[in-house]
Amino acid sequence: MTGAGITRERCEELDREDPLRHVRERFFVPDGLVYLDGNSLGALAKAVGPAVAEMISAEWGAGLSGGWDRWFYAPERVGDRIAPLIGAGAGEVVAIDTTTVALTKLLGAALAARPGRRVVVTTATNFPTDLYALAGVARLLGDVEVRMVDAGAVADSLDETVAATCLTHVDFRTGAMFDMAAVTAAAHDVGALAIWDLCHSVGAVVVDCEQDGVDLAVGCCYKYLNGGPGAPAFVYVRRSLQELLENPLPGWLGHEAPFDFTTGYRPAGGVRRFVTSTPPIIALAALDAALDAWAGVTVGAVRAKSVAMTELFIATVTERLGAEFEVASPRDPARRGSQVSLRHEQGYSIVQALIARGVVGDFRAPDLCRFGFTPLYLRYVDVFDAVEQLVAVIESEEHTEERFRARRPVT
Ligand SMILES: *Cc1c(COP(=O)(O)O)cnc(C)c1O
């Protein structure tokens, strides 16, 4: 359907046949822009602005502190809306904190739940913030060993000293995807807990925490969930573990009865105990409204379109620019998330030149041009046009111009 030699007309036809074509209208996508960076910051859903404005004027402005009767439950309410996207049940997810903070909490909880085991297994290629959080927890506790292994060697590295695995399901550099069920089962075989970072998975690939036996997970909501810059993250705690785990960063809003103001801490029941502080209600209102864009949309349909798009992109790039770029993402779509990374020595300036031509991707050092595919608001013609522009950059050698070489702080 989407092999090499494809024409723009064929892509237009694919867009007409696309079961998700109507969803693009739920977003603002600037005219003429091909946005392949939704894996970094998702697009703005049209429902978000009015919902946030309404929340501010009606709930905060007019309702003032009376709003807390409703706001108090926002972490669970929004969490319950995220749950179906990761194969979790109601009462297993809260929207709180940021990914790094949430992961720090889960690591502390997992280590406390496995006394006598002091090893956490991760990969050196994990997202750096996850590694920093892990190193921070290890320093704080003093006796924790962070065991870094290759992605392919995780199962073999497990033994009865391992408290938990801490892995990112879809690699942010290459898009390579772990077999979550297999690795989780391997962790369980040695009695370890499996913690997954779902930042590049939620809203992009099919995730089934329930079926795969996942113990704990975190993910961010400003990528494929379009919750906006700095949107709260989410925490998933398997129901059967909720009463067994303690939040290592307890705070009053995770207390069983915060307004009793008791001296001693008693954790709330369920996943609520992982809440620490007053939730960011305005940001949660934005995320809540962004999730409306999923009405009538299944993750399965999103994944099918995502695979078709990444296959189309890889086939076209290989055909037209195969000598210039190495495809750094897995060729097997079953092992690939919703992004394609192309390796090139001058990757940074190529991405800059592409952006100047209205095709937004990003760059990950030292040499990866990264393109994210967000089926909710991308069209097949966008994929086609992106490759056309990439060909134009390479053929004109525009990227060698001085103006595209100066590094910005955010790449
Ligand atoms: C984007 C991303 C994060 C972001 O962490 P924050 O603390 O929310 O800024 C963490 N982990 C991974 C794998 C990511 O891709």
Side-chain angles (χ1 to χ4, degrees):
M1 170 181 99
T2 54
I6 197 165
T7 60
R8 198 172 196 282
E9 288 65 39
R10 175 69 186 125
C11 289
E12 286 171 350
E13 202 174 288
L14 289 171
D15 284 324
R16 281 194 297 275
E17 296 162 359
D18 173 14
L20 296 177
R21 67 189 174 282
H22 61 290
V23 182
R24 178 177 168 88
E25 290 153 25
R26 299 178 185 171
F27 291 89
F28 290 111
V29 185
D31 272 346
L33 191 76
V34 176
Y35 190 63
L36 303 182
D37 209 16
N39 55 334
S40 180
L41 179 69
L44 172 63
K46 289 179 183 165
V48 169
V52 171
E54 169 71 11
M55 186 270 139
I56 288 174
S57 62
E59 294 192 33
W60 176 15
L64 291 167
S65 60
W68 278 115
D69 289 342
R70 181 176 137 78
W71 300 336
F72 186 80
Y73 300 102
E76 290 101 317
R77 198 166 45 71
V78 176
D80 281 348
R81 298 193 70 193
I82 296 167
L85 301 175
I86 57 166
E92 291 189 310
V93 179
V94 274
I96 49 166
D97 301 327
T98 58
T99 309
T100 312
V101 173
L103 182 63
T104 302
K105 286 156 86 166
L106 293 188
L107 285 166
L111 281 156
R114 290 287 180 276
R117 295 175 173 235
R118 285 347 253 162
V119 178
V120 179
V121 170
T122 190
T123 59
T125 51
N126 201 346
F127 194 94
T129 205
D130 297 39
L131 299 178
Y132 305 155
L134 195 39
V137 169
R139 241 186 342 265
L140 201 63
L141 296 178
D143 58 350
V144 172
E145 179 201 331
V146 178
R147 187 177 290 170
M148 287 198 202
V149 301
D150 288 340
V154 171
D156 288 340
S157 74
L158 299 172
D159 57 42
E160 314 245 310
T161 65
V162 177
T165 56
C166 174
L167 301 165
T168 295
H169 180 219
V170 174
D171 185 280
F172 77 103
R173 289 190 187 87
T174 63
M177 183 159 64
F178 273 106
D179 181 338
M180 200 156 87
V183 175
T184 301
H188 290 170
D189 280 347
V190 299
L193 293 165
I195 308 175
W196 289 99
D197 180 331
L198 302 177
C199 281
H200 287 276
S201 311
V202 63
V205 301
V206 177
V207 175
D208 198 331
C209 287
E210 170 69 46
Q211 189 181 300
D212 292 351
V214 172
D215 298 297
L216 301 162
V218 293
C220 74
C221 299
Y222 50 79
K223 291 169 182 160
Y224 295 92
L225 295 189
N226 313 301
F234 68 84
V235 168
Y236 160 83
V237 181
R238 190 173 192 77
R239 191 180 311 281
S240 59
L241 289 172
Q242 289 173 358
E243 307 300 319
L244 305 175
L245 295 180
E246 276 177 33
N247 179 355
L249 204 64
W252 70 312
L253 285 208
H255 192 281
E256 183 186 57
F259 290 89
D260 284 357
F261 297 103
T262 58
T263 307
Y265 180 76
R266 293 194 312 273
V271 71
R272 175 78 196 192
R273 68 183 53 193
F274 278 90
V275 175
T276 297
S277 297
T278 309
I281 297 301
I282 300 172
L284 280 165
L287 172 58
D288 196 12
L291 290 169
D292 290 349
W294 287 83
V297 175
T298 64
V299 181
V302 165
R303 173 64 175 160
K305 183 173 170 186
S306 157
V307 168
M309 287 185 143
T310 54
E311 287 285 271
L312 169 63
F313 186 76
I314 290 174
T316 321
V317 166
T318 307
E319 182 194 8
R320 306 198 51 191
L321 296 164
E324 290 286 333
F325 291 96
E326 177 200 337
V327 177
S329 300
R331 295 293 183 130
D332 174 5
R335 299 264 56 87
R336 184 172 73 229
S338 201
Q339 70 177 65
V340 176
S341 300
L342 303 178
R343 187 165 276 133
H344 194 290
E345 235 179 8
Q346 288 152 44
Y348 181 79
S349 38
I350 289 170
V351 168
Q352 294 309 309
L354 259 184
I355 292 172
R357 285 174 165 268
V359 177
V360 181
D362 61 20
F363 172 77
R364 288 297 173 259
D367 55 6
L368 291 179
C369 308
R370 198 173 71 143
F371 302 98
F373 296 85
T374 47
L376 295 184
Y377 50 84
L378 271 188
R379 301 163 303 191
Y380 290 94
V381 287
D382 295 323
V383 180
F384 184 91
D385 293 347
V387 179
E388 286 287 299
Q389 295 300 332
L390 190 54
V391 170
V393 167
I394 296 298
E395 282 181 351
S396 65
E397 297 184 6
E398 227 162 67
H399 59 287
T400 59
E401 292 171 24
E402 196 53 42
R403 64 191 168 121
F404 294 129
R405 284 159 49 184
R407 292 276 171 114
R408 299 195 212 172
V410 176
T411 62

